[in-house]
């Protein structure tokens, strides 16, 4: 996404430390996404036990305009994990006023 078509929007991802397991470890890794062109981070080497993670994101423009904080709650069961992948390139351009649809493939967890 771009801020007014001139410069990219800045995304700041965090994990709420009061409502998330392993918040310090996750926040250290999420800080790698701030201020650069990174679109993905690796979490595979973190010992992420626990059952709940509350991700927070703020978006700001180069003009200093900032979004409300949006949160995504992830609750994990102790069972096997399904997988999901989005078809297409790792970045997409979308207009805020228009609906955006992503196509993907989900695979059920092995039992």
């Amino acid at each position: 996404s771009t801020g007014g078509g001139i410069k990219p929007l800045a995304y700041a991802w965090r994990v709420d430390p009061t409502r998330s397991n392993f918040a310090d470890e996750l926040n250290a890794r999420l800080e790698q996404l701030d201020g650069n062109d990174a679109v993905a981070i690796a979490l595979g080497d973190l010992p992420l036990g626990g059952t709940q993670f509350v991700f927070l994101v703020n978006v700001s423009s180069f003009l200093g305009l900032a979004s409300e904080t949006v949160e995504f709650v992830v609750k994990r069961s102790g069972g096997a994990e399904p997988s999901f992948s989005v078809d297409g390139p790792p970045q997409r351009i979308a207009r805020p006023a228009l609906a955006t649809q992503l196509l993907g493939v989900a695979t059920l967890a092995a039992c």
Side-chain angles (χ1 to χ4, degrees):
S1 296
T2 57
I6 297 172
K7 292 190 175 188
L9 294 172
Y11 293 83
W13 288 91
R14 295 295 178 267
V15 174
D16 185 333
T18 62
R19 300 183 291 158
S20 302
N21 302 117
F22 296 93
D24 291 339
E25 294 88 342
L26 283 169
N27 280 330
R29 196 64 59 92
L30 289 170
E31 286 175 5
Q32 296 175 12
L33 293 175
D34 290 352
N36 61 37
D37 294 329
V39 295
I41 56 172
L43 299 175
D45 61 331
L46 292 178
L48 295 178
T51 58
Q52 179 165 300
F53 307 93
V54 180
F55 290 90
L56 309 171
V57 64
N58 286 77
V59 182
S60 59
S61 73
F62 74 100
L63 296 173
L65 300 172
S67 71
E68 298 279 328
T69 299
V70 176
E71 69 178 47
F72 303 92
V73 179
V74 177
K75 292 187 179 183
R76 195 160 79 169
S77 68
E81 302 167 356
S83 67
F84 181 79
S85 62
V86 175
D87 294 336
Q91 294 182 339
R92 295 199 182 267
I93 296 174
R95 297 188 185 277
L98 299 177
T100 302
Q101 187 174 34
L102 300 175
L103 301 176
V105 176
T107 305
L108 295 175
C111 293

